[in-house]
Each structure stands twice: as C-alpha cells, then as structure tokens.
C-alpha cells in the first residue's frame, strides 16, 4: 500500500469451527500472529480467506474484526467486488470501504468475461471508478473464476488516476512485473508479487513487497526475505530461502488452505483444518509432506536465527 514499507502482505485465512461457522477467536489469534511476524499490512477477505464461500454479511464481519484487532498498527485491504452489475459492485465497494480499509480490492476477472476485450474491461473499470467517489482501490489477478491479467499499459493508465494504490500480481512473468513497476514509477502505488519462484528478483526490480500463500505457513520467513533480499552479506542465506520456497511449492499448494491450517496448528495456533471450499482429501501422503515441511522449516529457521511468531 501507499504508506507501507517494503514488506509482506499476508493473504489471510478464515478460521472456522467444525460446524462451519466463523471462529472469530481464532481469527484474532491469527491476525495477531501476522502482526508479531512483522507483516507490513494485511489482505483480508481474499481467496485464501475462502471469500467466495462467505456471505456478504460474513465478509463485512471478517474485515471489521480484522480492522478492530489491528487497531491501526498496519493498513488493511480487502476484496470488494463479487460480480453482478457495476452498480452492484460499486455498492459493495462502498460497504467494504466503510469498515475502515485503506483500499478496496477489485477482482480483475469479475469486471469482464474471459472472452471480452480489454476495451470492455476499461469501460467498466472507469464506470466503477466514477461510482465509488474517492475510494482508494487495488487489483487482484485472482485465478477464480478465471485469471485475467492486466497489461502493463492498462495498469499504468489506472494508477495514473491516483485512485489505484495496490496490485497483487499473479502473472508469474518477471518481465511483465518489471514493465508494470517501470510504468507506475513515482506514483503512490505498490505492486506485490504472489509468485515465490522469482520473489528475490521481483523485490530487486522494485516490487513493494510479497503477498503469497507461503506466509500462511511461516510469515516471519517472508518478512525476513523482504528485509534481506538485497543484503550482500546474506547472499547465500537469501538463495537458500528462495530455493526452500521453490522446492516446497507443490506441498504448500496441495489441498490448500486446509494444509496451511494444519501447519499453523503445529505452530501452536488454535485453528481447525475445516474449510468451506472443497479442496481435496487430507490423505496420509499429504500429511507426510506437511510434516516434512515443518521439520525442514525448523532447520532453516534455526540456521537463519529466526524466531517463530505465535
């Protein structure tokens, strides 16, 4: 976000009770753990939060609860578009903004259909801009219902309005990221990369930080990477962290976010593995992979002298 130092913006989980209701006590503990780990902001009500499985009322309740717990320590952003007419989307953007978020995030794939041209997207975005007064906005290239990537020229045009201050990039394309950063230089705007394969290169290119699911396993490690990615005295250690994230990519994505909730249990958080979204089976082989990830992270954390945040 525009007022944040370069750093980590967690894509927050939503804890549930075994009956499927939101566990707000666990959400408090989870929020506090992100803060203790050194997060420079929070992304509430996102895909990791199972936002499509929440009602509008629950979305507002979750966002409001996070903002209350944060109490101004860091900025909070949250998704505010879930399809329908632009009028309908604008109305919910306003509701989300009223909770106190710094920016309301737009899902790029919900402003235009997969086969619709960029011109249609542009028209709807500027219509939404007009209907949401001076509310700061951001973009999330969410893979659901489909992934719609913003072209660097589009993003440059949107940021130039002074209203778009955040972009979560999921292009997996370092060249595009560099073009987006170059095209928005000098603006009150931050690009946050979600893809850990080139996390270090993104940060060196000028990304404002990282916003990735790996932070729902070990947030303090992602914070460490944001702080030390360009430290010439820690080049080997930074490469070790980058390789660790790449080597464990599949393990962390398999039946996510169930597996990350299990991992957080092992860290000491009072969170159940219940998910409203059907993400697949929590098989013995999946459990074995997460158990190994936990052990490997413990070795890495001790090697880097990182304290675990619970």
């Amino acid at each position: 976000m525009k007022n944040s130092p370069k750093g980590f913006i967690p894509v927050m989980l939503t804890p549930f009770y075994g009956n499927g209701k939101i566990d707000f006590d666990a959400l408090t503990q989870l929020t506090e753990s992100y803060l203790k780990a050194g997060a420079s902001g929070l992304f509430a009500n996102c895909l990791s939060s199972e936002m499509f499985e929440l009602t509008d009322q629950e979305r507002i309740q979750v966002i409001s609860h996070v903002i209350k717990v944060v109490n101004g320590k860091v900025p909070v952003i949250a998704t505010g578009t879930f399809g329908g007419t632009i009028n309908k989307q604008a109305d919910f953007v306003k509701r989300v903004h009223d909770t106190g978020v710094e920016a309301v995030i737009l899902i790029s794939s919900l402003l235009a259909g997969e086969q619709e041209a960029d011109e249609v997207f542009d028209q709807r975005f500027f219509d939404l801009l007009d209907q949401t007064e001076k509310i700061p906005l951001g973009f999330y290239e969410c893979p659901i219902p489909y992934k719609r990537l913003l072209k660097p020229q589009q993003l440059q045009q949107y940021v130039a309005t002074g209203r778009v201050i955040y972009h979560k990039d999921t292009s997996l394309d370092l060249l595009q990221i560099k073009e987006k950063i170059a095209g928005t230089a000098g603006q009150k705007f931050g690009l946050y990369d979600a893809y850990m394969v080139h996390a270090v290169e993104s940060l060196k290119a000028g990304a404002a930080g990282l916003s990735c699911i790996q932070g729902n396993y070990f947030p303090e490690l992602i914070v460490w990477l944001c702080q030390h990615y360009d430290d010439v005295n820690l080049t080997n250690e930074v490469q070790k962290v980058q390789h660790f994230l790449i080597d464990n990519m599949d393990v962390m994505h398999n039946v996510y976010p169930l597996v990350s909730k299990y991992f957080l249990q092992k860290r000491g958080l009072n969170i159940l593995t219940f998910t409203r979204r059907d993400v697949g089976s929590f098989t013995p082989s999946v459990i074995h992979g997460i158990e190994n990830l936990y052990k490997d992270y413990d070795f890495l954390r001790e090697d880097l002298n990182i304290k675990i945040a619970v």
Side-chain angles (χ1 to χ4, degrees), residues 194-227:
Y195 192 43
M196 292 301 95
V197 170
H198 53 224
V200 173
E201 290 86 349
S202 292
L203 291 167
K204 288 183 177 180
L210 304 173
S211 191
C212 53
I213 71 165
Q214 286 77 4
N216 286 325
Y217 295 87
F218 17 73
E220 61 283 327
L221 182 66
I222 309 303
V223 170
W224 184 92
L225 190 62
C226 288
Q227 293 173 339

Side-chain angles (χ1 to χ4, degrees), residues 50-66:
E50 301 175 62
M51 62 181 179
F52 291 116
E53 285 71 43
L54 302 178
T55 65
D56 279 353
Q57 181 181 1
E58 288 175 326
R59 290 163 181 157
I60 296 297
Q61 288 174 334
V62 165
I63 298 165
S64 298
H65 187 84
V66 170

Side-chain angles (χ1 to χ4, degrees), residues 11-308:
V11 284
M12 295 187 66
L13 302 171
T14 300
F16 298 102
Y17 290 112
N19 61 7
K21 293 184 178 180
I22 298 170
D23 183 348
F24 287 100
D25 288 338
L27 182 58
T28 296
Q29 188 184 22
L30 178 64
T31 303
E32 290 173 342
S33 73
Y34 292 131
L35 297 176
K36 290 176 184 176
S40 60
L42 297 175
F43 188 171
N45 193 39
C46 55
L47 189 59
S48 290
S49 313
E50 301 175 62
M51 62 181 179
F52 291 116
E53 285 71 43
L54 302 178
T55 65
D56 279 353
Q57 181 181 1
E58 288 175 326
R59 290 163 181 157
I60 296 297
Q61 288 174 334
V62 165
I63 298 165
S64 298
H65 187 84
V66 170
I67 288 174
K68 181 180 178 181
V69 175
V70 168
N71 194 28
K73 295 182 181 71
V74 298
V76 178
I77 58 175
T79 304
T81 56
F82 293 91
T85 66
I86 295 301
N87 290 350
K88 178 182 177 183
Q89 295 194 49
D91 286 342
F92 198 67
V93 165
K94 293 173 186 175
R95 286 185 63 187
V96 172
H97 179 253
D98 287 344
T99 64
V101 296
E102 178 170 338
V104 181
I105 307 307
L106 315 179
I107 301 299
S108 56
S109 56
L110 292 177
L111 283 177
E114 193 166 2
Q115 304 306 318
E116 291 185 300
D118 288 342
E119 291 76 14
V120 174
F121 184 94
D122 292 343
Q123 179 183 8
R124 291 178 185 161
F125 166 70
F126 284 109
D127 187 5
L128 183 64
L129 202 69
D130 290 340
Q131 293 190 44
T132 51
E133 302 166 355
K134 297 181 179 180
I135 296 174
L137 302 172
F139 280 106
Y140 172 22
E141 295 170 331
C142 183
I144 296 176
Y146 75 97
K147 186 187 286 191
R148 189 181 189 103
L149 300 177
L150 300 184
K151 294 181 174 61
Q153 297 82 359
Q154 282 182 293
L155 185 61
Q156 181 178 359
Q157 183 183 16
Y158 304 155
V159 172
T161 66
R163 292 276 304 279
V164 175
I165 65 171
Y166 169 94
H167 176 66
K168 178 178 175 179
D169 193 277
T170 66
S171 68
L172 318 183
D173 185 333
L174 185 59
L175 179 59
Q176 271 211 24
I177 287 172
K178 289 180 177 179
E179 290 178 2
K180 288 176 178 177
I181 292 170
T184 55
Q187 303 281 354
K188 292 181 178 179
F189 166 80
L191 181 148
Y192 291 80
D193 196 0
Y195 192 43
M196 292 301 95
V197 170
H198 53 224
V200 173
E201 290 86 349
S202 292
L203 291 167
K204 288 183 177 180
L210 304 173
S211 191
C212 53
I213 71 165
Q214 286 77 4
N216 286 325
Y217 295 87
F218 17 73
E220 61 283 327
L221 182 66
I222 309 303
V223 170
W224 184 92
L225 190 62
C226 288
Q227 293 173 339
H228 299 291
Y229 71 93
D230 208 20
D231 189 334
V232 294
N233 297 314
L234 293 172
T235 300
N236 292 335
E237 289 83 352
V238 168
Q239 289 180 348
K240 185 181 293 187
V241 171
Q242 179 79 84
H243 287 305
F244 171 78
L245 295 172
I246 293 172
D247 292 344
N248 290 288
M249 188 75 69
D250 290 342
V251 173
M252 288 184 279
H253 278 82
N254 193 14
V255 299
Y256 176 85
L258 188 157
V259 287
S260 65
K261 292 182 177 182
Y262 178 73
F263 193 95
L264 292 176
Q265 276 186 0
K266 295 183 67 63
R267 286 173 55 112
L269 268 72
N270 185 24
I271 184 172
L272 299 183
T273 58
F274 185 95
T275 59
R276 288 187 182 178
R277 186 167 71 241
D278 183 8
V279 296
S281 301
F282 197 38
T283 63
S285 64
V286 172
I287 295 172
H288 179 69
I290 292 298
E291 296 284 354
N292 285 338
L293 175 66
Y294 187 83
K295 292 175 185 176
D296 291 344
Y297 176 58
D298 243 8
F299 286 124
L300 177 63
R301 180 180 60 79
E302 289 179 6
D303 187 36
L304 298 174
N305 195 28
I306 294 176
K307 294 182 179 180
I308 196 165

